[in-house]
Amino acid sequence: MTVLQERWQELADVKDELALRDWFMGTSGNLAIKVQDSPTEFLVTASGKDKRKRTAEDFLLVDANGQAIEDTHLKPSAETLLHCEVYTKTAAGCSLHIHTVANNVISEIYGNRGKIEFQGLELIKAFGLWDEDAVLTIPIIPNHAHIPDLAEEFQKHLHGDSGAVLIRNHGITVWGKNAFEAKKLLEASEFLFQYQLALYQIQSQ
Amino acid sequence: MTVLQERWQELADVKDELALRDWFMGTSGNLAIKVQDSPTEFLVTASGKDKRKRTAEDFLLVDANGQAIEDTHLKPSAETLLHCEVYTKTAAGCSLHIHTVANNVISEIYGNRGKIEFQGLELIKAFGLWDEDAVLTIPIIPNHAHIPDLAEEFQKHLHGDSGAVLIRNHGITVWGKNAFEAKKLLEASEFLFQYQLALYQIQSQ
Amino acid sequence: MTVLQERWQELADVKDELALRDWFMGTSGNLAIKVQDSPTEFLVTASGKDKRKRTAEDFLLVDANGQAIEDTHLKPSAETLLHCEVYTKTAAGCSLHIHTVANNVISEIYGNRGKIEFQGLELIKAFGLWDEDAVLTIPIIPNHAHIPDLAEEFQKHLHGDSGAVLIRNHGITVWGKNAFEAKKLLEASEFLFQYQLALYQIQSQ
Amino acid sequence: MTVLQERWQELADVKDELALRDWFMGTSGNLAIKVQDSPTEFLVTASGKDKRKRTAEDFLLVDANGQAIEDTHLKPSAETLLHCEVYTKTAAGCSLHIHTVANNVISEIYGNRGKIEFQGLELIKAFGLWDEDAVLTIPIIPNHAHIPDLAEEFQKHLHGDSGAVLIRNHGITVWGKNAFEAKKLLEASEFLFQYQLALYQIQSQ
C-alpha cells in the first residue's frame, strides 16, 4: 500500500466512524489528512457527497493552496482553505471539522467571551494537559461567510501542532499529529461541550 | 436497472438510514419519491409496515391523486395526499415526512407564532441560504385529523422546489430535487431544532 | 416452522431491536409472547441473561401461572406474573416490559397523580385514538417489591386487548395483539414521554 | 480455549459493546479481567489504543502490582493501580472504568457531599438491593493527578466483591464477580445517573 492509499484508508475509517455518530448532519463537515511535505499535499473531502457512504470519490488530493493536483471533476470542500492553514503553519498530519449540536450551542453561549475554558476535568488530558491545575482554553472565533476571511481569523489560533478552534455557530476544527490524535481531540472536545451544557442547564437555575 | 428500480432502491436506502436513527417511532412517518412526470407517478410507503425491515412490500406506485397504479393489496400511507401536493405543485423529486421529539416540541413551542426562524447558523446553508444575514423561515401549520384539510393547509407553503413545513405535534415534511437533497434538508432541520431546544433550555432561565 | 418457532423468532427479533436501543440496561426488562390458547402457553425471557446476545436459552415456555412447561434449568423472569395477568385477562398476543430514563422520570414526576395524559399529539394514533380531541391516558401504579402485589395492582388496568401501564420508577409494560402491535405502543409511549420531558424542562421555567 | 483466551474474549466483547455506546471518548477508560489467583494475574487495556478497534494488542497480562508479566512493548493503562487494588482487596473477577457525560456531571454536582444515594428505584436491584426501602450509596472521591494517591483514596471504598466508586470529573469504576456482573453495575449506574440528571433539571427549577 502506498502512503497515499494508507492515508486514504485512515481518513475513510475516521469518516465512517464520525458518520455513524451523525456528526455530518445536512452534509456539513470536512476532513483532511496530509500525504507528504515539501511540497505539501493532502487529501480533503470532496464537496457535495453523502459522508455515510464509502466511495472512490470521497476525497481528492490538493496542494498547499487547496488546488486539485490531478485533473478531476471533484471539487474540494468549500472550507479547504482552513485545512491549508493547518498544513502550512503547523506540523499536524490530520485536521477535522464537524458540527454537533453541543459544539454549536457552546460556541453561541460563550461566543462573546471569545473562548471557553475547562479545568479540573480528567478529559483535558487528551490535550496533553496533565497538571492538576491545568486549564484548557478553546478559542471561539466569529463566523464569516467569506472563507478567506474565516481562514485568516482561524490561522491566528494555530499555536501548536495540535489544537482546537470553535467557529461561532459553525462547528469545531481540530488538528493533530495524525488521524488517531485528531480524532482524540475531537471526541474529548465533544465530551467537554456536552458536559458543560448539562452543567449549565442545572447551575444557571 | 429501470428508473423504477433505481428510485425504489434510493428510497429504501433513505428508509434504512432514517430507521437506524429511530425517526419512525410507533410506525410514524412516510416517504415518497417521484418515478416519472406526465403523468406523475411516485413511490410511497405502504401503510402499517415496520420501517426497520427492508421488504418487497415497503412501497407502492401511485398516481398524482395517490391512487395505486397497479392492482395490489397494499395501501398507501394515510398522508399520501401531502406527497401528491408536492409532486403536483413543484418540480421536487422526493418528499419525506418524519417525527422526532425535537421537531414535535419545537412545533408546539413556536406553534402559535406560525413559524420558526433561524439566522447566523452555518447549517442554514443546507437550504441554499449563503448570505451572512440570511434568515431561514420554517412555517408551522396546525394539525388536522382530516387529511384533505391538512393537505390543503400544507400546499399553501409549497413555494419552491425544495423546502420544509412543520405540522404542529405532527412532525416535519421536507421536499427536494432528489433523495439526497431531501435528506439533507431533513438532517439540517433536525440539527437546527435540537440546537434551538438546547439554547431555549438555557436562555429562558 | 412451527408456531412455537415462529413466535420465538418474532420475540427474538423484538429483543434484538430493543437491545440495540439500550432499553435493557442493567439486565432490566422482560418480554413475553403467546404461543397458544386453551390452555395458555407463552414464551417469556429467562432470568439473568444478557439481552444483547441471541441464544437458544433466551426464552422458556410457561403456562398461565408462569410455571415452566418443560423440564429446564432456566428460570422465568421474576416479573412473569404480570405477563400471566395479560394473557389471562385479555386476548393480547405479546407483552413487553422495559426501563428507559424517560419512562422512569415521567413515572416519578406524575406518580402522585396516578396517570399521565396526552392530547393533540399525532403519535397517540398509535393507540388507536383518531379523534381530534382524543385523550390518551396512561395509568401510573405504585411499585411493590413483592411481585404478586404488583401483579394485583397491575391487573386492575387491563381494560382492553392493548394498552400500557407505567410502574413508578419501574418502567412500562405494554401489551397488544402481536409483537408488531406491542412494539408500536412501546415506541409511541417512549416518544411521548421524551416529548413531555423536553417540554416540561422548558415550560416549568 | 485456555482460561486466558476465554477471559481475553470476554473482555474484548465488553470493550466492543461499551465502544459502540461511545463510553471511551478521547481514548478515556480502561478495563481489566482477572485470569488467575495466587499469584494474581489479570488482563488490562494497553495504553494509547483506539478502543473501537479489536486487535491482538488491546490487552496485556500484568501481576498484582500492575507489572507486565511477559516481555512486551505494550504499556498498561495509566490507571492500572486501581485495578490492582480491586484484585488485591476483593474477590472480584472484572473491573471497568469509563467516562460518560452523566457520570462526570453527577460527580461534580454531588462531589462536595462525597456520595450520591438512590432509593425507591427498581434499577438499584442490579446492586443486589431487593428491600423496598433499600438505599444505594455510591461514594464520590476527589480526583488526584498522581495515580498512587488516587488508588489509595479509591481502595478505602472497596468494601465488597462488587461495587462502584465515582471519581470527581474522572468517571466511574465498577467491579464485580465477572464481566457480566461488572457490566450490569456499569449499565445500572449510568441509568441512575441519567435519571437523576433529568430529574434535577426539572425539580431544581
Side-chain angles (χ1 to χ4, degrees), chain A residues 132-181:
Chain A
E132 209 155 87
D133 54 356
V135 177
L136 169 66
T137 302
I138 298 179
I140 306 174
I141 64 175
N143 195 11
H144 296 278
H146 187 55
I147 302 298
D149 290 351
L150 184 60
E152 169 63 22
E153 188 85 31
F154 170 72
Q155 61 84 22
K156 293 177 195 167
H157 299 278
L158 288 169
H159 298 312
D161 295 340
S162 71
V165 169
L166 274 171
I167 309 169
R168 191 160 179 168
N169 288 318
H170 186 159
I172 195 172
T173 297
V174 301
W175 62 98
K177 192 171 61 171
N178 49 34
F180 176 84
E181 291 293 328

Side-chain angles (χ1 to χ4, degrees), chain C residues 79 99 104 143-144 169-170, chain D residues 120-126 130:
Chain C
E79 291 150 23
H99 284 259
N104 270 252
N143 194 13
H144 296 278
N169 287 320
H170 185 159
Chain D
L121 282 151
E122 186 68 11
L123 257 284
I124 68 170
K125 289 187 183 166
W130 294 84

Side-chain angles (χ1 to χ4, degrees), chain B residues 140-157:
Chain B
I140 306 172
I141 64 174
N143 194 13
H144 296 278
H146 188 55
I147 302 299
D149 290 351
L150 184 60
E152 170 62 23
E153 188 85 30
F154 170 72
Q155 60 85 24
K156 294 176 193 165
H157 300 277

Side-chain angles (χ1 to χ4, degrees), chain C residues 11-38:
Chain C
L11 199 59
D13 285 350
V14 168
K15 186 169 76 70
D16 282 356
E17 186 175 332
L18 306 189
L20 264 178
R21 288 182 180 131
D22 276 336
W23 285 1
F24 300 124
M25 292 288 265
T27 73
S28 64
N30 43 79
L31 316 175
I33 196 163
K34 194 165 65 176
V35 175
Q36 67 162 57
D37 288 306
S38 340

